[in-house]
Amino acid sequence: MILAVVFANAEGNILIERFHGVPAEERLHWRSFLVKLGSDNLKGVKNEELLVASHKSVYIVYTVLGDVSIYVVGKDEYDELALSEVIFVITSVVKDVCGKPPTERLFLDKYGRICLCLDEIVWKGYLENTEKDRIKRLIRLKPPTEF
Amino acid sequence: MADSSGTTLMDLITADPTKASSTASTSSAAPSSATAAPAAQPTALGKPAGEKKSKRATFMQIQSDTLTVAKAALAPVRTNIMPQRQKKKPVSYSQLARSIHELAATSDQKNSHRQLVRHVFPKLAVYNSVDPSLAPSLLMLNQQCEDRNVLRYVYYYLARILSDTGAQGVGTGGGIPTPNWDALADIDAVGGVTRADVVPRIVEQLSAEAKNADVEFHARRLQALKALTSAPSNSSEILSRLYEIVFGILEKVGDAQQKRKKGILGAKGGDKESIIRSNLQYSALSALRRLPLDPGNPAFLHRAVQGISFADPVAVRHSLEIVSELAAMDPYAVAMALVNHVQPGGALQDVLHLHDVLARVALARLCYTISRARALDERPDIRSQFNSVLYQLLLDPSERVCFEAILCVLGKYDNTERTEERAAGWYRLTREILKLPEASSKEGSKDKSQKTKRPQPLLKLVMRRLESSFRSFSRPVLHAAARVVQEMGKSRAAAFSLGLQDIDEGAHVNTYAEAADLHDSDETAHPESIRRTSSISNGTGGRDTIGGLLDSLLEVVRTTVACECVYVRGMVIKALIWMQGPYDSFDELESIIASELSDPAWPAGLLNDILLTLHARFKASPDMAVTLLEIARIFATKVPGKVDADVLQLLWKTCLVGAGPDGKHKALEAVTIVLDLPPPQPGSMLGLTSVDRVSASDPKSALALQKLVQAAVWFLGENANYAASEYAWESATPPGTALMMLDADKMVAAASSRNPTLAGALTRLQRCAFSGSWEIRIIAAQALTTMAIRSGEPFRLQIYEFLHTLAQGGLQSQFSDMHLSNGEDQGASGTGLGVLLSPMIKVLDEMYRGQDDLIKEIRNHDNAKKEWTDDELKTLYETHERLLDLVSLFCYVPRAKYLPLGPISAKLIDIYRTRHNISASTGLSDPAVATGISDLIYESTKPAPSEPVDSLDDDLVNAWAANLGDDGLWGNNAPAMNRVNEFLAGAGTDAPEVDEENVISRPSVSYDDLWAKTLLESEEVEEDDAKSLGSSSPDSTGSVETSISSHFGGMNYPSLFSSKPSTYGSSQTRDKAQSNWGGSSLSGGLGSPIREEPPPYSSPIMKRFESFENPLASQSFESRDDDQVSSASVRYGSALYDFTAGGDDELSLTAGEEVEIEDEVDGWFYVKKKRPGRDGKMAGLVPVLYVSQS
């Protein structure tokens, strides 16, 4: 189960979050935990370099892309390696949509489209589509495989 | 404020995207400015529009106006940077909503499409939820609009409206809180539109679309189905509709048998019909995956199994995941359904080459479940087929899959740990051999060398793989590899604990392989076999033994400690702890841990995780007790401020019991070594890696160390007798009276020769009673009393004398002059312990006086050759009982055995008992013992439990005396226990706690959190307290009282201050009881008026036996609450300002409204209103600062 996908800016403001199966009262904790994790560790990290953390039986993989840091939290079959796959798909799609590692401005300009992509990548706590082309087609309301 | 950076979410709303053509932007501005009067003004970053109180909003408005003017002045310079900021009017949520309504009405125009796609929808996405009043317009767009991009957004928002339950966690999406729907009610002429109104309509329309079989429509069909699955899964009506749709689709497209062609997936090709079919298959299976499993349903299984041979890789993944989950419930049915697929050339074999990692992970789980299923015992052929697929996955190029396969082989599947399965896993790993089936080696591994094709021992494969993973630069890979090693250690420990003795780790790995090699004799010339023979000649030290392989792996693991990521290092340490055998030398591990812990970067949560790992390791092999205690000691000394003292104590305790008779002394030493440490040297960087140095240079950890020492002292007092096997009631050498004539020096000598463990503990406690801080001195005195009561002579006398001296004072300056400098008021008696000590000494006095009297009486009787009369016996017995009662007030003793009047009284008391038919064990149901002292004091009417105590065996009694036995080691100490059990069960997905200090340094967390956190900063102290109340965690920097009242399980603080509940945790009832007794009960009786609160024990049974549990925890929670908040249960307050709910769990307030405050979480109150507000909500969260408590 992918418990959370969170995008935050450099100041630690959450830009997008998608929680699944996390009780409302715990989300605050998760947000601050993730943001703190990022502020402690993401200084000077290269784009798309993956960092890892864990809390009890929950895994966290996070990275930075331009001005935006991306966190993915999962458990069970979504361990640190599976989450790496997830975050890889997310980063490559974000790069695709923005054309480069986004500045915060650029990210916000593409906000709607990124939301749509995310919707195709992570759906109800499971990884869905992984191929860029497929996602691109789906957010334009085309069938996943074209004829 | 980051507002000036020009990159905030609000900017997105306020500004049009650069790309937008000028015509589009003006026309988009038109409708919004026409409707004007925005409900909520945009505000600075993190101050969500909805949450502003109006005054502040106007202020901000003024401020931003001035800013705009100022910026306009700079316009020539700035335009390039932020061209839109100055000219565009911000767009509020209600404006967006209005735009949607208007544009939906003109959805046939191209212009409207463009506006929707470019402006309205992306901006709407910024709000964290979508209100249902938009639904009618969205549905209208959905029906009338042809534009694909618009429609895609429409499906997105419809899905969000459907999923928006708040509770599920899918509702909010970050960004800016949506203003209260209430505020939007005026948009709809009819009034507020609720979810209940629109959801049926949405579901109706989407399911109609999902059933539409029109070929041209099928892309929309897929999206409609997807949106439909967003509905919360608790609505049975929607669920049944979904099942109907999904099975309907699969009926049409599922059965058509088609051969999957390799490589077709990405490429354009294939006929239109089959592609459409494959798309529908994908969509149906994706939906099925989101639906609840239906285990008994053959149709469900059939469809899922069918999915494995579909062309769409994502569909295959979903169906494998479904099937593997089903297999866990009904392996037989699944195996039977899969029989054809698992054959060489079958669909499962194809999955091995599928380019989808998670599909192969699911395959590994599936194979594991089926190959281990008991239900398939009579079909070994099927099991072995699945097994061989699993083993092939060990060769998978993806680490994720390979590691999953290793974990499966090791018997780690989910968190239900079964020792047998784990042990079998280790056996499999070390014994079994991978033989690739001919079929797959033909097509799949053409490029692989010959070596891969020949049978290989699993262990070697795994080791090679792990070693190469440890060379990776990717942190997730390192973390995962260390985790796999940890699981390996668990399985190995399980194998050892089950006594799979035939696992000879010196044995040659290939000896098992050779048996298999015999079949293909043509391979003898293989270079591998040459290497093998040569390694045999190397003897057992060679690299190819299991032990050798493990050693080389561990070497690589150890080097990974150098990784800069603490989480990776933490996992490595856990792995090393698990791989550590009970009899291996652990110097290396010890030094690794010691140097690691000196790194301040370690977060407390992670350290506690490792501490819990020690628990788990101990549970797996109790032989490790001493080793683990040594490791725990490093934690205690290195990071006292970060570890959870409760958990640490529990570890001490369990290890002490587990150490066995021989190890007890060592175990106790390991604990008490904490006391021997020199006081921390501030700022000293020396000996960072030395274990025997305390690193507590900052005040917080110094305080924590202090607490830890208290815990250790208490622990020593409670358990020294147990560890030393010295009990007054079963002393191996009953002390003669001669011993009592000795002077003190000789006594000490005699004592230490008789029982060095106890003597050592005694010496330490004596030192603590003199030279610790006042908290420690108090506990040390109590600990000494406990020991005095429990031990036989000469220890008792020795302690008695010591306590006497201590109470008198005066000697102190001789022993230590540290006190003069530490600024504490020493009290009149010098040690400040006089008040505390007097009741203790009184008890001992009474006991000795009783003994003297008894001896006198016996002599009298002997001299006069008189029989004891019944009256005399009765007096004696009454004295005995009275003393027992007194003694029981201080610590637990087994009443049936304890003889306060000395061993000589045993006979006489026995006579009296038999004569009067008093069962010796009635003592145990005495209220003082059975229900805890507090009840005696408060004259509880609770009936004493009837326990089967007649047949007590000595061990049990002694264990009780040390609070160890009873209801199991693992059933005590509630808060720590829960953590340990939770950890052992592998549970725990709850949110981590973030250290407060860091929270403060965070500017903000999310747009609404930022706001909450600024509140928190001023409320920090309060939060601290709340935290330590809840978790009694040592890292809270709460006040001293807090830590005292809630910190130690069962730590009984003396009653010196019991009449001052405000400072001392009025929770110390039990101690107060003691002092009441000591100080005033002799004169004033038991129901002493000093008490200020009613008896707090609600279920006091067994309290007496569980002093390790924290009987005060719960109560201290309440009473602390009392201190902080005027009334314990319900608080009232009134809203200071208007507050608009930003999410479903929040509650809107109007200034002045009366509310009932239920509790507080992280700067938020959970409050209840008297009547529902305009949104119909009665209760929810509001920021603390918005409410004034009355």
Side-chain angles (χ1 to χ4, degrees):
Chain A
M1 184 77 86
I2 301 171
L3 296 174
V5 179
V6 172
F7 290 71
N9 67 5
E11 285 98 45
N13 296 310
I14 304 234
L15 303 175
I16 304 180
E17 64 179 12
R18 294 286 179 271
F19 280 106
H20 192 269
V22 180
E25 62 271 20
E26 282 184 15
R27 287 184 216 158
L28 247 175
H29 286 288
W30 273 114
R31 284 181 204 126
S32 34
F33 178 77
L34 293 178
V35 164
K36 176 179 177 301
L37 206 61
S39 71
D40 289 350
N41 300 301
L42 281 176
K43 294 257 151 41
V45 169
K46 284 190 300 244
N47 271 347
E48 295 182 70
E49 183 178 341
L50 297 182
L51 282 83
V52 69
S54 62
H55 169 72
K56 297 187 179 170
S57 52
V58 177
Y59 308 98
I60 301 129
V61 174
Y62 57 111
T63 189
V64 69
L65 188 68
D67 291 351
V68 180
S69 44
I70 306 171
Y71 307 84
V72 187
V73 183
K75 64 170 181 185
D76 298 335
E77 71 266 39
Y78 289 95
D79 65 3
E80 56 285 76
L81 292 173
L83 292 177
S84 308
E85 305 268 331
V86 175
I87 211 167
F88 174 74
V89 179
I90 294 177
T91 48
S92 62
V93 162
V94 170
K95 269 193 304 184
D96 243 36
V97 169
C98 299
K100 58 175 181 181
T103 58
E104 193 175 343
R105 172 92 231 167
L106 189 55
F107 184 89
L108 291 173
D109 284 347
K110 304 287 182 190
Y111 195 92
R113 183 174 276 232
I114 290 171
C115 283
L116 290 186
C117 290
L118 200 57
D119 191 41
E120 296 292 352
I121 298 170
V122 178
W123 175 12
K124 285 199 102 177
Y126 300 105
L127 180 64
E128 186 67 20
N129 292 297
T130 51
E131 286 171 47
K132 272 196 287 190
D133 292 340
R134 202 173 152 123
I135 295 166
K136 219 180 280 174
R137 275 196 296 275
L138 282 166
I139 63 163
R140 291 202 215 105
L141 203 71
K142 289 178 179 167
T145 315
E146 285 216 82
F147 22 91
Chain B
M1 273 287 152
D3 196 20
S4 55
S5 73
T7 53
T8 66
L9 282 177
M10 257 310 165
D11 279 347
L12 177 60
I13 298 177
T14 59
D16 288 317
T18 342
K19 282 198 306 193
S21 68
S22 62
T23 54
S25 57
T26 43
S27 57
S28 95
S32 27
S33 54
T35 47
Q41 284 297 328
T43 51
L45 165 67
K47 303 288 184 191
E51 290 185 3
K52 303 300 292 181
K53 47 187 177 174
S54 51
K55 265 191 236 163
R56 212 162 163 186
T58 18
F59 171 71
M60 294 304 289
Q61 175 70 49
I62 296 165
Q63 198 182 31
S64 72
D65 285 350
T66 22
L67 270 177
T68 317
V69 174
K71 277 176 188 161
L74 294 172
V77 196
R78 287 286 196 96
T79 19
N80 290 337
I81 310 166
M82 38 180 94
Q84 306 92 353
R85 283 180 54 74
Q86 298 94 327
K87 38 184 191 187
K88 293 303 167 209
K89 277 249 167 187
V91 187
S92 72
Y93 182 82
S94 56
Q95 284 174 316
L96 286 173
R98 257 178 253 264
S99 307
I100 290 178
H101 292 304
E102 285 163 13
L103 292 171
T106 56
S107 62
D108 46 343
Q109 296 171 18
K110 272 248 150 78
N111 201 11
S112 322
H113 297 169
R114 200 160 48 220
Q115 280 185 43
L116 279 172
V117 173
R118 293 205 178 146
H119 306 291
V120 181
F121 280 142
K123 285 175 189 169
L124 192 64
V126 175
Y127 287 98
N128 63 8
S129 61
V130 188
D131 79 287
S133 67
L134 292 181
S137 301
L138 290 173
L139 286 175
M140 192 157 87
L141 276 174
N142 187 31
Q143 276 172 332
Q144 295 172 2
C145 187
E146 296 290 320
D147 187 273
R148 282 207 303 257
N149 291 316
V150 173
L151 282 171
R152 182 63 189 83
Y153 270 114
V154 169
Y155 284 117
Y156 173 74
Y157 287 114
L158 287 179
R160 291 193 64 174
I161 292 177
L162 276 183
S163 71
D164 205 348
T165 60
Q168 289 291 316
V170 274
T172 63
I176 298 169
T178 309
N180 196 354
W181 299 339
D182 222 21
L184 301 163
D186 56 323
I187 292 174
D188 207 40
V190 194
V193 182
T194 61
R195 271 195 90 231
D197 298 334
V198 296
V199 166
R201 283 178 60 195
I202 298 176
V203 171
E204 199 58 47
Q205 190 160 335
L206 287 179
S207 36
E209 289 179 16
K211 285 178 189 158
N212 190 336
D214 185 359
V215 173
E216 295 311 316
F217 199 73
H218 98 281
R220 288 186 64 177
R221 194 178 174 187
L222 306 189
Q223 286 297 342
L225 182 56
K226 178 177 171 174
L228 209 49
T229 57
S230 310
S233 53
N234 49 17
S235 152
S236 62
E237 196 214 342
I238 299 179
L239 275 188
S240 59
R241 197 183 281 254
L242 269 170
Y243 277 123
E244 186 193 323
I245 297 170
V246 167
F247 284 111
I249 295 177
L250 285 175
E251 190 126 340
K252 294 247 170 56
V253 299
D255 285 324
Q257 264 305 328
Q258 47 175 341
K259 202 72 194 142
R260 182 165 52 219
K261 292 171 225 150
K262 302 260 151 39
I264 194 179
L265 307 169
K268 305 260 183 285
D271 56 319
K272 188 171 170 181
E273 195 190 329
S274 73
I275 287 173
I276 289 178
R277 195 192 299 127
S278 142
N279 286 339
L280 284 172
Q281 287 169 346
Y282 151 73
S283 166
L285 274 173
S286 285
L288 196 61
R289 173 80 179 113
R290 270 77 187 181
L291 294 175
L293 289 182
D294 191 359
N297 184 350
F300 194 99
L301 177 62
H302 171 69
R303 294 300 174 194
V305 168
Q306 240 177 16
I308 297 178
S309 32
F310 284 169
D312 190 286
V314 183
V316 175
R317 182 211 308 158
H318 288 318
S319 59
L320 273 169
E321 282 172 352
I322 296 172
V323 170
S324 89
E325 277 175 31
L326 283 175
M329 303 175 199
D330 186 1
Y332 188 81
V334 173
M336 288 304 134
L338 286 173
V339 163
N340 292 326
H341 292 295
V342 77
Q343 309 286 356
L348 287 183
Q349 302 283 346
D350 288 347
V351 175
L352 285 175
H353 309 292
L354 191 65
H355 182 74
D356 189 303
V357 170
L358 285 170
R360 290 179 316 221
V361 169
L363 179 65
R365 292 177 160 223
L366 172 68
C367 291
Y368 170 72
T369 319
I370 293 183
S371 66
R372 305 287 167 260
R374 287 258 81 99
L376 287 163
D377 273 348
E378 70 274 24
R379 297 297 300 271
D381 51 324
I382 295 183
R383 281 169 58 159
S384 73
Q385 273 169 335
F386 279 97
N387 208 28
S388 105
V389 175
L390 176 61
Y391 287 175
Q392 287 177 61
L393 284 170
L394 286 173
L395 295 173
D396 198 278
S398 155
E399 262 108 4
R400 176 67 188 88
V401 182
C402 174
F403 288 171
E404 185 70 34
I406 297 175
L407 293 182
C408 284
V409 170
L410 283 170
K412 153 96 183 168
Y413 175 66
D414 48 18
N415 292 321
T416 53
E417 299 286 300
R418 283 176 44 238
T419 318
E420 298 81 16
E421 185 48 47
R422 283 310 197 101
W426 181 246
Y427 186 86
R428 278 195 293 276
L429 183 69
T430 50
R431 291 295 170 83
E432 295 200 1
I433 290 147
L434 170 66
K435 257 189 110 173
L436 285 176
E438 296 305 311
S440 94
S441 60
K442 240 181 262 163
E443 43 177 300
S445 47
K446 275 250 161 54
D447 50 334
K448 298 224 172 81
S449 67
Q450 281 294 97
K451 221 156 94 180
T452 335
K453 268 211 285 179
R454 59 176 300 281
Q456 299 224 39
L458 293 189
L459 186 68
K460 279 176 87 174
L461 272 179
V462 167
M463 292 294 167
R464 216 178 293 146
R465 185 60 182 254
L466 282 174
E467 283 183 28
S468 72
S469 297
F470 273 111
R471 272 180 234 118
S472 161
F473 291 108
S474 157
R475 292 175 183 189
V477 172
L478 289 174
H479 193 268
R483 198 160 49 85
V484 171
V485 174
Q486 178 193 327
E487 297 301 335
M488 215 157 148
K490 283 186 190 171
S491 292
R492 183 166 168 240
F496 278 114
S497 78
L498 280 194
L500 285 182
Q501 299 301 356
D502 56 331
I503 295 184
D504 173 12
E505 298 209 337
H508 206 277
V509 174
N510 281 336
T511 47
Y512 313 119
E514 266 153 17
D517 281 350
L518 289 180
H519 298 294
D520 19 37
S521 50
D522 56 331
E523 278 195 335
T524 41
H526 202 275
E528 177 78 4
S529 56
I530 299 169
R531 198 166 71 82
R532 192 166 65 229
T533 39
S534 66
S535 66
I536 284 173
S537 59
N538 285 347
T540 48
R543 213 178 156 282
D544 274 6
T545 61
I546 298 175
L549 283 170
L550 282 180
D551 283 347
S552 75
L553 176 69
L554 285 185
E555 202 49 55
V556 189
V557 175
R558 277 187 211 108
T559 54
T560 313
V561 179
C563 177
E564 72 260 52
C565 170
V566 276
Y567 288 96
V568 172
R569 282 186 278 167
M571 192 49 87
V572 165
I573 288 180
K574 284 191 217 169
L576 289 174
I577 290 173
W578 274 106
M579 290 304 281
Q580 180 77 37
Y583 306 110
D584 310 343
S585 132
F586 68 102
D587 293 343
E588 201 155 7
L589 179 58
E590 193 181 16
S591 70
I592 287 179
I593 293 180
S595 56
E596 273 305 311
L597 294 185
S598 310
D599 181 352
W602 284 88
L606 193 52
L607 289 173
N608 284 314
D609 235 27
I610 298 178
L611 206 55
L612 290 167
T613 307
L614 294 179
H615 269 281
R617 185 75 189 91
F618 169 77
K619 220 187 159 198
S621 29
D623 292 350
M624 300 262 299
V626 175
T627 314
L628 294 175
L629 277 173
E630 284 288 322
I631 298 175
R633 199 191 96 201
I634 309 176
F635 277 85
T637 54
K638 286 286 173 193
V639 280
K642 287 180 179 169
V643 293
D644 186 337
D646 287 348
V647 176
L648 189 61
Q649 274 199 71
L650 194 65
L651 182 68
W652 285 345
K653 173 152 281 204
T654 44
C655 285
L656 181 64
V657 180
D662 306 330
K664 273 183 198 155
H665 177 74
K666 260 184 115 175
L668 200 66
E669 288 286 309
V671 173
T672 54
I673 207 98
V674 175
L675 307 182
D676 293 340
L677 294 167
Q681 309 289 325
S684 152
M685 293 305 284
L686 286 173
L688 269 184
T689 55
S690 151
V691 189
D692 299 323
R693 242 328 168 16
V694 190
S695 359
S697 38
D698 58 313
K700 197 177 155 197
S701 52
L703 190 71
L705 178 69
Q706 187 78 276
K707 288 184 208 153
L708 206 59
V709 171
Q710 292 172 44
V713 169
W714 176 82
F715 185 85
L716 200 56
E718 274 304 303
N719 300 307
N721 289 82
Y722 176 77
S725 307
E726 161 73 35
Y727 288 107
W729 52 91
E730 55 171 38
S731 191
T733 51
T737 38
L739 256 179
M740 297 171 70
M741 309 299 168
L742 295 174
D743 61 33
D745 294 345
K746 285 186 188 147
M747 229 160 51
V748 173
S752 58
S753 70
R754 208 180 100 204
N755 195 330
T757 310
L758 199 61
L762 209 52
T763 319
R764 285 210 174 85
L765 285 178
Q766 285 178 346
R767 202 174 61 210
C768 289
F770 266 125
S771 61
S773 67
W774 59 270
E775 297 104 324
I776 292 173
R777 290 205 305 271
I778 289 167
I779 304 159
Q782 286 186 313
L784 282 169
T785 319
T786 307
M787 280 174 70
I789 289 171
R790 287 187 186 157
S791 320
E793 303 297 355
F795 299 104
R796 187 181 292 166
L797 196 58
Q798 191 187 341
I799 297 170
Y800 178 71
E801 193 183 17
F802 176 80
L803 289 180
H804 220 72
T805 322
L806 206 57
Q808 302 285 316
L811 272 187
Q812 195 214 348
S813 51
Q814 286 169 249
F815 280 81
S816 147
D817 37 22
M818 284 170 67
H819 292 279
L820 299 175
S821 62
N822 71 1
E824 284 173 16
D825 182 8
Q826 305 293 320
S829 66
T831 56
L833 293 174
V835 190
L836 172 70
L837 288 174
S838 65
M840 301 175 178
I841 293 175
K842 228 167 233 161
V843 178
L844 293 174
D845 269 342
E846 292 259 323
M847 278 169 69
Y848 280 126
R849 197 174 305 130
Q851 285 181 15
D852 283 351
D853 289 348
L854 178 62
I855 291 169
K856 221 181 286 169
E857 283 290 304
I858 291 177
R859 289 219 182 102
N860 285 345
H861 281 86
D862 282 352
N863 293 345
K865 298 249 178 325
K866 265 201 300 188
E867 280 296 302
W868 285 69
T869 68
D870 204 46
D871 274 353
E872 282 165 334
L873 281 177
K874 190 174 176 214
T875 325
L876 179 72
Y877 184 72
E878 273 166 7
T879 321
H880 170 84
E881 285 289 294
R882 189 173 58 87
L883 285 174
L884 262 184
D885 286 349
L886 296 186
V887 159
S888 302
L889 291 171
F890 284 92
C891 64
Y892 172 73
V893 290
R895 290 184 70 106
K897 295 185 160 201
Y898 194 72
L899 296 167
L901 292 175
I904 34 171
S905 68
K907 230 167 98 188
L908 292 170
I909 286 171
D910 259 359
I911 295 172
Y912 183 77
R913 274 191 184 139
T914 28
R915 218 180 270 175
H916 291 266
N917 251 342
I918 301 170
S919 156
S921 61
T922 49
L924 270 168
S925 51
D926 183 289
V929 172
T931 68
I933 295 312
S934 58
D935 271 11
L936 187 71
I937 303 298
Y938 298 124
E939 291 160 345
S940 159
T941 50
K942 239 181 161 64
S946 52
E947 286 180 56
V949 284
D950 280 320
S951 54
L952 291 174
D953 68 303
D954 287 350
D955 281 350
L956 194 56
V957 169
N958 295 341
W960 270 0
N963 308 295
L964 295 168
D966 213 8
D967 45 357
L969 301 175
W970 300 91
N972 280 331
N973 199 7
M977 222 36 256
N978 291 341
R979 268 184 294 260
V980 172
N981 284 335
E982 191 186 64
F983 180 82
L984 292 176
T989 55
D990 55 328
E993 303 228 328
V994 180
D995 299 345
E996 302 90 57
E997 59 205 347
N998 301 307
V999 170
I1000 298 161
S1001 70
R1002 293 294 324 140
S1004 70
V1005 165
S1006 92
Y1007 278 72
D1008 42 345
D1009 284 354
L1010 162 77
W1011 188 82
K1013 290 295 175 195
T1014 45
L1015 294 179
L1016 286 179
E1017 283 180 28
S1018 54
E1019 295 286 299
E1020 196 203 345
V1021 178
E1022 214 174 299
E1023 196 200 28
D1024 272 344
D1025 282 359
K1027 221 179 137 190
S1028 70
L1029 290 177
S1031 61
S1032 61
S1033 68
D1035 51 356
S1036 63
T1037 49
S1039 56
V1040 177
E1041 303 97 89
T1042 315
S1043 56
I1044 284 185
S1045 59
S1046 68
H1047 191 64
F1048 293 113
M1051 175 86 82
N1052 292 329
Y1053 286 86
S1055 37
L1056 283 170
F1057 308 103
S1058 58
S1059 57
K1060 292 188 263 169
S1062 54
T1063 40
Y1064 251 161
S1066 37
S1067 56
Q1068 305 298 332
T1069 336
R1070 193 163 126 198
D1071 304 289
K1072 202 178 299 171
Q1074 289 179 3
S1075 82
N1076 286 348
W1077 172 77
S1080 61
S1081 77
L1082 292 180
S1083 53
L1086 295 175
S1088 160
I1090 295 177
R1091 244 177 12 258
E1092 262 124 352
E1093 72 283 296
Y1097 279 120
S1098 49
S1099 61
I1101 310 168
M1102 305 306 292
K1103 278 283 164 8
R1104 205 48 253 189
F1105 306 125
E1106 296 175 10
S1107 75
F1108 199 74
E1109 167 199 292
N1110 189 352
L1112 308 171
S1114 55
Q1115 163 200 356
S1116 72
F1117 195 105
E1118 288 155 22
S1119 49
R1120 294 276 318 148
D1121 250 0
D1122 283 3
D1123 295 346
Q1124 269 177 7
V1125 186
S1126 49
S1127 95
S1129 48
V1130 188
R1131 290 175 286 163
Y1132 293 93
S1134 58
L1136 288 170
Y1137 322 103
D1138 286 347
F1139 173 67
T1140 314
D1144 264 7
D1145 43 1
E1146 293 170 22
L1147 180 71
S1148 298
L1149 288 180
T1150 328
E1153 215 168 346
E1154 296 289 317
V1155 292
E1156 196 175 292
I1157 301 166
E1158 297 231 312
D1159 56 14
E1160 182 187 342
V1161 186
D1162 287 339
W1164 293 80
F1165 278 140
Y1166 187 82
V1167 300
K1168 268 191 187 160
K1169 287 198 215 175
K1170 297 254 157 58
R1171 353 170 251 287
R1174 280 211 290 161
D1175 51 357
K1177 283 175 74 175
M1178 281 283 285
L1181 295 170
V1182 296
V1184 168
L1185 282 197
Y1186 273 60
V1187 176
S1188 79
Q1189 295 181 49
S1190 50

